[in-house]
């Protein structure tokens, strides 16, 4: 089955800096790669996703890149703000009925 | 914006008791999932459900667990005989083109 590795486990940045979180996956059949932000005690909230026919996607300060050959994808947050502090999870899945498998999460701390 | 809803938000039960966790997926979604998250850990896949049957399940989803879509809107997770280690947050998710999570049920087994 699919296995998703995520790095780093913790990331501390100063407000205004960029943050990059990286994930690798094992199943070449995976074609859907969402990123979720989870605040303490809350549900995972989808922040951006990418599908295997696209190499990069951007939404304001957030961007995701995908390298299918290398089986890795990354989340980039620019101009970080204290409210970006949360746990970020990457995930990977194949077609819609299959499991969405999560990485172990990255705790991002943005200090002002 | 449509949302996945879950009830109850919290459930406390005694070891060995049965619990049923309920979810109402987004109405035009066809794929439904249950996940659990032990405090401070990652989100773990339990089971996926499509067309009124299980399409995939993880090793965690053993004979103590079952899922059902009893009435075309609710999607339930039953744990027959709870163990201490079942204490976790349980999230339901539904997927159309993207997957959205419910707010979770925090289960505490004493």
């Amino acid at each position: 089955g699919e296995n998703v590795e995520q790095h780093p486990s913790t990331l501390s940045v100063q407000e205004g800096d960029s943050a990059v979180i990286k994930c690798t996956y094992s199943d070449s059949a995976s074609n859907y790669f969402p990123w979720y932000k989870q605040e303490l005690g809350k549900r995972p909230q989808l922040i951006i996703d990418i599908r295997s026919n696209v190499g990069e996607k951007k939404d304001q300060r957030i961007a995701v890149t995908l390298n299918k050959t290398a089986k890795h994808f990354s989340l980039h947050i620019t101009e970080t703000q204290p409210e970006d502090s949360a746990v970020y999870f990457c995930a990977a899945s194949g077609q819609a009925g299959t499991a969405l498998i999560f990485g172990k999460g990255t705790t991002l701390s943005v200090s002002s | 914006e449509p949302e996945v809803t879950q009830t109850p938000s919290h459930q406390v039960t005694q070891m060995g008791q049965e619990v049923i966790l309920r979810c109402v997926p987004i109405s035009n979604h066809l794929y439904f999932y249950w996940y659990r998250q032990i405090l401070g850990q990652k989100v773990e896949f339990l089971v996926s459900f499509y067309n009124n049957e299980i399409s995939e399940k993880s090793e965690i989803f053993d004979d103590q667990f079952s899922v059902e879509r009893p009435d075309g809107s609710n999607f339930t997770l039953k744990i027959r005989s709870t163990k201490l280690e079942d204490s976790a947050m349980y999230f339901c998710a539904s997927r159309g083109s993207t997957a959205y999570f419910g707010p979770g049920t925090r289960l505490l087994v004493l």
Side-chain angles (χ1 to χ4, degrees):
Chain A
E2 177 65 274
N3 182 50
V4 178
E5 299 285 338
Q6 183 172 348
H7 300 280
S9 56
T10 59
L11 181 59
S12 296
V13 299
Q14 291 287 320
E15 184 177 1
D17 288 350
S18 295
V20 180
I21 303 170
K22 298 182 179 183
C23 289
T24 60
Y25 62 98
S26 61
D27 189 349
S28 57
S30 289
N31 59 12
Y32 175 59
F33 308 94
W35 286 88
Y36 291 87
K37 175 183 180 182
Q38 188 178 34
E39 296 173 341
L40 193 63
K42 302 283 184 65
R43 76 183 85 188
Q45 290 271 14
L46 179 72
I47 55 171
I48 195 167
D49 59 8
I50 192 167
R51 297 172 201 279
S52 61
N53 58 341
V54 176
E56 183 173 358
K57 184 176 176 181
K58 192 172 182 181
D59 182 5
Q60 298 182 358
R61 297 186 295 110
I62 294 172
V64 57
T65 58
L66 171 65
N67 183 329
K68 279 224 81 177
T69 304
K71 297 205 199 84
H72 65 70
F73 56 113
S74 300
L75 178 72
H76 305 253
I77 306 174
T78 57
E79 300 171 29
T80 53
Q81 300 165 4
E83 50 266 39
D84 294 331
S85 297
V87 181
Y88 290 81
F89 291 96
C90 63
S93 120
Q95 60 188 8
T98 60
L100 193 61
I101 301 299
F102 282 73
K104 289 188 176 179
T106 297
T107 301
L108 174 65
S109 300
V110 181
S111 51
S112 54
Chain B
E1 181 178 302
E3 281 196 336
V4 179
T5 60
Q6 288 184 244
T7 53
S9 58
H10 294 79
Q11 173 98 44
V12 181
T13 190
Q14 295 291 322
M15 192 169 56
Q17 295 296 303
E18 173 183 288
V19 295
I20 297 176
L21 311 183
R22 292 181 168 80
C23 168
V24 179
I26 294 171
S27 61
N28 61 347
H29 285 185
L30 299 177
Y31 304 95
F32 315 120
Y33 307 85
W34 282 101
Y35 287 82
R36 79 172 185 191
Q37 187 177 33
I38 295 167
L39 190 63
Q41 297 187 23
K42 74 172 183 178
V43 180
E44 297 178 290
F45 170 72
L46 294 178
V47 66
S48 59
F49 193 84
Y50 169 70
N51 200 24
N52 286 322
E53 61 182 27
I54 291 172
S55 52
E56 191 173 353
K57 61 182 180 179
S58 72
E59 293 174 351
I60 303 168
F61 194 86
D62 61 21
D63 291 344
Q64 294 298 312
F65 292 90
S66 62
V67 289
E68 194 172 49
R69 194 151 192 249
D71 57 12
S73 61
N74 289 286
F75 177 49
T76 62
L77 174 69
K78 182 192 288 186
I79 309 175
R80 288 191 185 81
S81 178
T82 50
K83 307 183 192 75
L84 297 176
E85 54 265 36
D86 293 328
S87 296
M89 181 76 98
Y90 288 80
F91 291 105
C92 171
S94 72
R95 183 171 171 181
S97 59
T98 50
Y100 294 96
F101 282 75
T105 294
R106 185 169 297 284
L107 177 64
L108 179 59
V109 182
L110 302 176

